[in-house]
Amino acid sequence: MGRERVADIVVVVLAGVLSLSGTVTQVPILREPYDLFVFCLLVASALSLWFRRRAPVAVAWLMATLAIILVAAVRVWPGLTPGTRLEPEITLLPAAVPFAAYAVAVFARNRRLAWPPLVVVAAIAFLGAPPSSRAIAVAGMALILVGAPAVLGRYVVARAERVRRGHHLRAEQARRQERLRVAAEIHDVVSHRVSVMVLQAGALQLTAADEASRQAAGQLRTTGCQALDELRDLVGLLNAAGPAGSANTGLLEPMPDLSGLVESARSIGTIVEVDGAEGPCLLPPVVGRTAYRVVQEALTNVHKHAPGARVRLQVRHLPAGIQVCVRNTAPTRAGDAVLASAGAGAGLLGLRRRIELINGTLHAEACADGGYRVQADLPSVLPAAGESP
């Protein structure tokens, strides 16, 4: 049994005990027929507290209704029989009222609907008091039984909210610190080594004796330079001071050419249909390269997991950015098990994190026809310096 259920049982039992005590002290139980009726009302109010978490406002209105009936039962109904009128002390309210007032303040989703039943209960307590009672004493009792629990409930909610916000801020700070650490590591280790590789490839391109070696060194240097550009993008996005380099300088570049990826996929037998957006598409460099990586990863996954499938590549201009969608049909033949197991989903996971860094979204899901769809919605405006993605 959970803690909430235990608390519910304790509250119901406590309200029931207080109801019994109030009945014995103020209404002599079983001496007259209406005494049993009043007792049943008080027990019903206690039992209704079981639902105070799920329907706090309804329980509060029930308390208001029971309070009206209670006042009528004790002050009006007994008066119909000569000699049986009772004069209860100060005010008449179900013992469950404080618990209901607290529950309304804590569990009610709509605050505007939470307070009217409490006002009604307090008004009934004031109007139902015997004429001999002092107004100040009646108002004080209503404040203690209705107002104080409600205020306590709001204080508990506000304190819990402050604690939650504190936890969120600490978690956000920890994430920012981790991003700084990763950015520093990429910059100090990975970028340095790739730079050395690019320099060595450039030197080899100049000194190689044969043309094939010079071409291979040139391709290696070009690939290394592209890797450095992407590393600078990632370092800038991970940096808490804001994207650096070309990530957020306001510079816009054309969408990277996807024809090389398409031709590469076609060269190994994959049928690729391209539905490109009309007109030029200018994007921040990091967004364009991310779109390129989406297509690259999606086509690679088709080659690994869906041999023989047909692929449709769509690029759409959106008011707030660009949408890239790669959808393939079901595979027509079995693939290489060793090739399919390589990576184990790490590519899409890394791609998703990269896209989230620029406030984009990635949807990767299986389709009803046995195919698969990878769709990325990328923004045309990156977070400003100091903003959290």
Side-chain angles (χ1 to χ4, degrees):
M1 184 180 295
R3 296 176 57 183
E4 291 185 355
R5 290 303 180 191
V6 173
D8 291 340
I9 293 174
V10 171
V11 167
V12 170
V13 171
L14 180 59
V17 171
L18 293 176
S19 298
L20 177 62
S21 174
T23 304
V24 171
T25 56
Q26 292 203 36
V27 182
I29 190 168
L30 300 181
R31 196 181 70 177
E32 297 289 344
Y34 60 83
D35 301 334
L36 179 60
F37 176 73
V38 170
F39 176 70
C40 292
L41 290 178
L42 297 177
V43 171
S45 66
L47 293 176
S48 68
L49 293 176
W50 180 261
F51 306 98
R52 75 192 194 286
R53 297 180 188 271
R54 287 170 287 178
V57 177
V59 171
W61 278 115
L62 178 62
M63 294 299 161
T65 302
L66 293 178
I68 295 174
I69 299 175
L70 183 62
V71 170
V74 175
R75 295 190 55 79
V76 178
W77 184 5
L80 299 179
T81 305
T84 60
R85 175 183 293 274
L86 296 175
E87 290 293 339
E89 300 176 2
I90 301 179
T91 186
L92 286 168
L93 283 179
V97 163
F99 302 99
Y102 177 86
V104 163
V106 173
F107 303 119
R109 297 180 181 179
N110 191 332
R111 296 181 182 178
R112 289 181 298 179
L113 299 178
W115 300 109
L118 300 185
V119 173
V120 172
V121 170
I124 293 170
F126 187 83
L127 298 176
S132 59
S133 301
R134 294 183 178 181
I136 296 179
V138 175
M141 184 62 66
L143 182 63
I144 293 174
L145 296 179
V146 181
V151 172
L152 177 62
R154 291 310 311 161
Y155 169 78
V156 171
V157 170
R159 186 174 182 275
E161 182 64 21
R162 286 196 299 270
V163 172
R164 188 193 65 80
R165 285 199 301 265
H167 289 166
H168 176 75
L169 291 175
R170 286 191 291 272
E172 187 65 27
Q173 181 65 25
R175 284 193 292 268
R176 292 173 68 88
Q177 292 297 329
E178 180 64 14
R179 288 170 59 184
L180 276 175
R181 186 192 66 78
V182 173
E185 185 173 340
I186 291 176
H187 182 271
D188 296 340
V189 180
V190 182
S191 297
H192 172 72
R193 293 182 179 179
V194 175
S195 299
V196 173
M197 180 190 71
V198 170
L199 292 175
Q200 292 174 342
L204 179 61
Q205 186 180 16
L206 294 175
T207 60
D210 59 286
E211 182 63 25
S213 297
R214 286 194 293 271
Q215 289 182 357
Q219 292 177 354
L220 180 61
R221 182 176 182 276
T222 300
T223 302
C225 290
Q226 292 175 349
L228 282 176
D229 288 338
E230 295 184 5
L231 286 173
R232 279 193 291 268
D233 290 339
L234 292 177
V235 169
L237 291 172
L238 289 170
N239 196 311
S246 62
N248 195 29
T249 60
L251 176 67
L252 298 179
E253 294 181 355
M255 173 80 178
D257 187 8
L258 303 176
S259 60
L261 294 176
V262 173
E263 292 303 323
S264 177
R266 288 172 177 170
S267 67
I268 58 176
T270 304
I271 301 176
V272 182
E273 178 184 352
V274 180
D275 182 8
E278 298 293 335
C281 181
L282 298 178
L283 299 168
V286 63
V287 176
R289 282 191 280 270
T290 300
Y292 184 92
R293 289 304 176 207
V294 170
V295 177
Q296 184 181 52
E297 180 66 24
L299 292 178
T300 300
N301 286 340
V302 171
H303 174 59
K304 290 168 57 176
H305 303 288
R310 301 175 63 93
V311 179
R312 181 179 178 84
L313 167 61
Q314 291 180 301
V315 179
R316 297 176 53 200
H317 294 175
L318 302 175
I322 188 171
Q323 182 183 87
V324 178
C325 181
V326 180
R327 189 187 187 284
N328 63 271
T329 60
T332 59
R333 62 179 184 270
D336 188 330
V338 176
L339 180 63
S341 63
L348 282 178
L349 178 60
L351 189 62
R352 183 183 302 277
R353 291 174 177 171
R354 176 172 179 165
I355 290 174
E356 289 174 350
L357 285 175
I358 58 174
N359 276 357
T361 58
L362 177 68
H363 302 280
E365 59 186 1
C367 302
D369 61 357
Y372 203 81
R373 181 178 70 96
V374 177
Q375 177 179 308
D377 295 295
L378 307 176
S380 57
V381 179
L382 297 179
E387 290 183 2
S388 298

